[in-house]
Amino acid sequence: MSAFKRNAALACLLAIAACGDDMAGEPAARPGVPGLPGAHGGEPGVPSGMQPGPGAAPGDVPEAPVDCNTTVAGPRRLWRLTAAQYDNTVRDLFGIESTFGTGFPADEVVHGFNNNADLLVVTPLLADKLAAAAEDIAMRADLARLAPCVSASKDDGCLRTLANQFGERMFRRPLVPAEAERYVALAKTAGDFEAGARLMVQGFLQSPHFLYRFELGKLASGSEFALNDFEIASQLSYLLWQTTPDDMLLAAARSGQLREPAQVRLQVERMLASERARPVVHAFVFDWLGLTNMLTVPKDTARFPELTPEIRASLLAEVERFIDHVMSSPGNSLSGLLSSPVTFLDAQLAQFYGVAAPADATQPVMMPDQQRRGILTLGATMMTHARSNDSSPVHRGKLIRERLLCQTLPPPPPGVSIQPPPLDPNKTTRERYAAHSSVNPCVSCHRLMDPIGLTFEHFDGVGRFRADDNGNPIDATGEILGSPMTDGKFDGVTQLIDQLDGSPDVQQCYSLSWVRFAYGLRETAGSASQCVIKRMQAALSDSAGSLGAIFSVLTEDEQFYNRTGDPKIAPQLDFATASIAPEPTPDAPATGGEPAAPGLDVQLAMSNDWGGGYCKTYQLKNTSAEPITWSVPLEVDGKINNHWECEVSGETGMVTFTGAQHNATIQPNAMAQFGFCGMR
Amino acid sequence: MRATGAALIAAPFMRLLEAPRRVYAQTGPKRIIFWFTPNGTVHKYWRPTGSGADFAFPAGSILEPLAARKSDLLILDGLNFERVRGGSHEGGMEHMLTGGGAPSVDQFIAKQLNTMTPFPSIELGVQTSAWGAGVQTRMSYDDKHGYVHPDDDPVAVFRRLFGGGSAATGEGPSPQARVLDLVRGELKGLQSQLGTLEQQKLDAHLTSLTQLSRRVGGAAAACGGVTVPKLSDTRSNEKFPEVGELQMDLLVAAAACDASRVLSLQWTHTVSPTIFSWASASEGHHELSHKDDSNTAGVASFVQTERWFSEQFSRFLDKLEATPEADGSGTLLDTSTVVWVKELGDGRLHDYKSVPFVIAGRGNGYWKLGRYLQLGGMPHQKLLVSLCQSMGVMVDGFGVPDITGGISELTT
């Protein structure tokens, strides 16, 4: 990886340090994310993705040359479904519209993307929301759709069929017998068939085997694990469609085809041709270019009354049609995004832009304004990357710097008043922002942003073309500095775009962004991702680089087939074929009043009492040399209204507590706990 | 005690002096509520005049809407953030409740109290999440420095806090409890097979389910009388006041039925783009927070938005005062502490000097209220220590190892 990527941010940092300002040295490490908290809270052109700070962009990639003949795949992992993937998956499995995911706590955003596998965890709030969603979905599910036997025979056999057939869709792999029996046993506790089937569905929806995509593989050699066919099917499906594998993918996995690149290529072609790939490609571009909030980013409605919700919807339709048009062409996708001269206008958007309305909003027309070309100049981009009441050279320069060049800018030094220049009807934006290019310490960083952003001055704060700025002519000259393979001066947006289109820096950044989106991996996590960036960059510079070529590179890579890990950890673990959990122990019969087993130490670990009720938690320890299937009799004060990690023989008086499935048996020296609340 | 040892390992800079009180003492606050608003302040429009018990809020100043509650307040001036990692808005946001470590003070208190309330802590938000989760948009951290997310949707909050589950009927555990047992069994099976691989993820997931399983089939019905909020589109700019109103009501209701002893309300986030059109603003709150003194109209508009927050704070205190404790021990304002926190001192400068704090609520008489304290550049970790101690969590340091002690002036 060449050294040029580090220059801009580093130079900027050094310049500030040289001014004697106190730049905080210690990065505020986020778990799994290196670097400082975000760059320049003052002017976030790309608000959501700006963490981490300098050093996490390509500049963070180790300098040591990578030998792409002996690459190392990323780590074995469990990759939790994102909120959007959850909704898509529920939609496809149950045939219902799912918006549950939009109510989940927002996933962490890094460089614009919210799918970083390290950061996707199940927090307490998410666990609650998943449980609530599971209840609702199970209630609404059309059981006959999940297993046709439901209409014919409401019996244990059908429960077993449901567990195996629908379970395979939920887990994205066949269930092993012990797993299926666990879900059948759960269903049978419900008392009647339908309640049981719904309870089973509720369980599946909260299972780790559903919520996480397993990328563990099977030990192949050394520390290399080969992903199994079902794991690859899920990768394909969630990469291209952001949803669960369809019947064809599962069939291909069952017949063991998906470790063959030729078969994978056929699947990729099939899936890319589907309508389902379109929103996924939109999502990539939106995350990459920071357009995700375009429908909600607040604007001054007094200054821009024309920007109605309807116009925002038209701006969204325009950019989506533009992306579809570029991505369905066989040419270079990056070049098309940056330079395509056509767009799609409906009548109200044409009016908003102040141009004549084309006959058909779904057909491409030449961009209406002399300065408009490519996605950077579409109304959606210019509107989102601007201030609430004004254009913004800072936001727009930052967009190019961070998302086209993948460089990260440091925050401004403390103690410097950074009032953005107020609106002034007598001055142009360039005049108002002049201090940024003349006053230290501003100039050291703003010279990397403002001269680029000022080139976009022909577009106002909501993305409309303007011939002049407050009646004054617009000087749209600018310059890129600190990025040697892209550096240079330009006059006007089209010249800037010419400079970006074809730049190896931009090709590398675009490739890196695809890798982040596709693998949810930090680029430093394995050398495979660095090699795939190189290969994709090579494809782009060959003027090939179509969407199909990008997905070919992504799905032919080492990272798509293998993982790296400690060979000592569960070398046999293979969920497609092996047993994964012990058979459930049958419930111990209620044996009220017997003393706890010898060797079982029972301690009241905590308790809380508010008069009318109370809760108690007990800690159990097996002090003997043999496993104990435990049973603890206790005199209950009042009536039990809630208990956890245990089964109870009754609600009042002398009650025997026995283990739940997971803690019924305690190994020697191991501990378990259970608890209950009672009302008096 | 085991709990103490575990806490010391998890949070090495929080030096516990004695075992935490498990059952709250009658002398201290029963609960603590954190209240966040963003983008620092402009001190000359925030500061009261006078000092000590003899102070006043100047006409037109940010805190003036709290004048009627003067005797229930401690206005804290001169607390600095020390040892901020990073900088700018983000550094302050991260430092505000953590003091530079992890977890944040709210989560630490919740964990040490270890009450058997249905929720260890409750986090509500008002439009905190449009930018996803990040250092800008989160203020609470768990002990692994992971985000503790607020819930921005009042309808979902209602369901989670007051909707109840299907309670256990007849013999045996509720269906939900059986589902959770099964899922926990699967997670434990994975843990034992995967060893150190993805251990943190599986541990976190299990911990989350343990909290949930405590409540399944539990006594949510005890929280009667809360009405279901009706609201759609919680994310549009114009709905901001309405969402805030519902969240305040839900927070008060959660406190009233003792759903938790540690609660928070986070109004948007640092660098917030919210346009306070209801307070006559036409620019985003963050943009307004950067207006120079020379820009009098801009600063005046910022002050208006900050006064709006003061009005909400005042109304929130009124709601607490209007709500009795179930056990007849007084009103919620008698028994609670509310702390208004911010992430920056002067927002224009992105600095951490004299970050404005307000303590409100009588906390069962714990605080010596009705005063304006000028603390002269004291590190704010001392405030975090005092907040812990007020809740019976006897630490003498928080966040960093070498700043110790609380602020004795708060109680004497």
Side-chain angles (χ1 to χ4, degrees), chain B residues 69-314:
Chain B
R69 285 266 166 233
K70 222 179 110 181
S71 61
D72 293 324
L73 306 176
L74 267 173
I75 311 296
L76 306 182
D77 198 352
L79 283 170
N80 294 352
F81 286 178
E82 300 287 354
R83 318 288 164 75
V84 179
R85 302 185 289 179
S88 192
H89 285 265
E90 297 74 25
M93 192 74 185
E94 191 210 7
H95 194 78
M96 177 175 69
L97 295 184
T98 65
S104 52
V105 67
D106 54 325
Q107 297 303 306
F108 182 69
I109 291 171
K111 191 166 183 178
Q112 292 302 316
L113 286 181
N114 201 9
T115 54
M116 296 301 287
T117 51
F119 297 86
S121 64
I122 291 173
E123 293 76 27
L124 305 190
V126 185
Q127 296 186 1
T128 69
S129 301
W131 295 356
V135 189
Q136 289 176 326
T137 62
R138 296 293 175 259
M139 66 178 190
S140 289
Y141 289 83
D142 66 22
D143 53 15
K144 302 279 196 312
H145 205 261
Y147 298 129
V148 177
H149 304 276
D151 194 336
D152 289 355
D153 178 356
V155 178
V157 169
F158 173 85
R159 176 172 174 174
R160 181 173 183 236
L161 300 187
F162 311 114
S166 352
T169 49
E171 298 293 306
S174 70
Q176 283 71 22
R178 289 188 189 277
V179 167
L180 286 179
D181 280 346
L182 181 150
V183 172
R184 284 149 59 94
E186 288 186 338
L187 281 165
K188 290 189 176 180
L190 285 170
Q191 273 182 327
S192 69
Q193 299 198 44
L194 294 181
T196 53
L197 183 62
E198 297 288 33
Q199 193 174 28
Q200 276 201 17
K201 250 178 230 175
L202 295 171
D203 285 353
H205 195 159
L206 261 174
T207 304
S208 299
L209 291 178
T210 302
Q211 290 188 15
L212 173 56
S213 64
R214 276 193 192 180
R215 297 192 305 272
V216 166
C223 302
V226 188
T227 45
V228 190
K230 288 192 178 56
L231 183 70
S232 58
D233 186 18
T234 58
R235 296 165 197 222
S236 78
N237 192 78
E238 291 65 35
K239 291 287 176 73
F240 189 85
E242 196 180 338
V243 174
E245 182 74 20
L246 290 169
Q247 299 288 56
M248 285 194 282
D249 286 342
L250 288 164
L251 207 62
V252 170
C257 64
D258 207 14
S260 184
R261 299 289 164 87
V262 180
L263 307 101
S264 64
L265 182 57
Q266 179 185 335
W267 293 85
T268 182
H269 54 79
T270 196
V271 201
S272 169
T274 306
I275 299 176
F276 286 50
S277 50
W278 49 90
S280 308
S282 59
E283 287 184 78
H285 189 262
H286 171 240
E287 294 171 308
L288 288 176
S289 77
H290 276 288
K291 300 302 181 194
D292 274 347
D293 285 336
S294 60
N295 184 345
T296 48
V299 172
S301 182
F302 177 66
V303 169
Q304 285 308 310
T305 64
E306 291 297 282
R307 282 174 61 92
W308 185 83
F309 275 133
S310 286
E311 287 160 14
Q312 306 319 303
F313 193 67
S314 172

Side-chain angles (χ1 to χ4, degrees), chain B residues 22-35:
Chain B
R22 295 222 176 277
V23 179
Y24 64 91
Q26 295 306 311
T27 51
K30 181 174 180 179
R31 71 182 62 80
I32 186 163
I33 303 171
F34 294 87
W35 167 287

Side-chain angles (χ1 to χ4, degrees), chain A residues 473-558:
Chain A
I474 290 172
D475 171 1
T477 59
E479 183 174 16
I480 295 178
L481 294 165
S483 194
M485 302 185 80
T486 322
D487 280 357
K489 297 189 178 201
F490 37 81
D491 184 356
V493 167
T494 53
Q495 286 187 15
L496 165 65
I497 288 168
D498 286 343
Q499 210 155 313
L500 297 171
D501 187 2
S503 156
D505 295 341
V506 179
Q507 289 166 351
Q508 187 191 26
C509 182
Y510 179 69
S511 303
L512 170 60
S513 301
W514 268 112
V515 166
R516 287 170 173 161
F517 177 77
Y519 297 161
L521 190 67
R522 271 184 290 142
E523 44 272 22
T524 48
S527 57
S529 55
Q530 295 169 54
C531 296
V532 75
I533 291 166
K534 281 188 176 178
R535 279 197 290 279
M536 197 182 299
Q537 196 181 342
L540 289 163
S541 59
D542 279 352
S543 81
S546 66
L547 189 65
I550 284 167
F551 277 100
S552 291
V553 173
L554 288 170
T555 55
E556 282 164 12
D557 193 79
E558 169 89 4

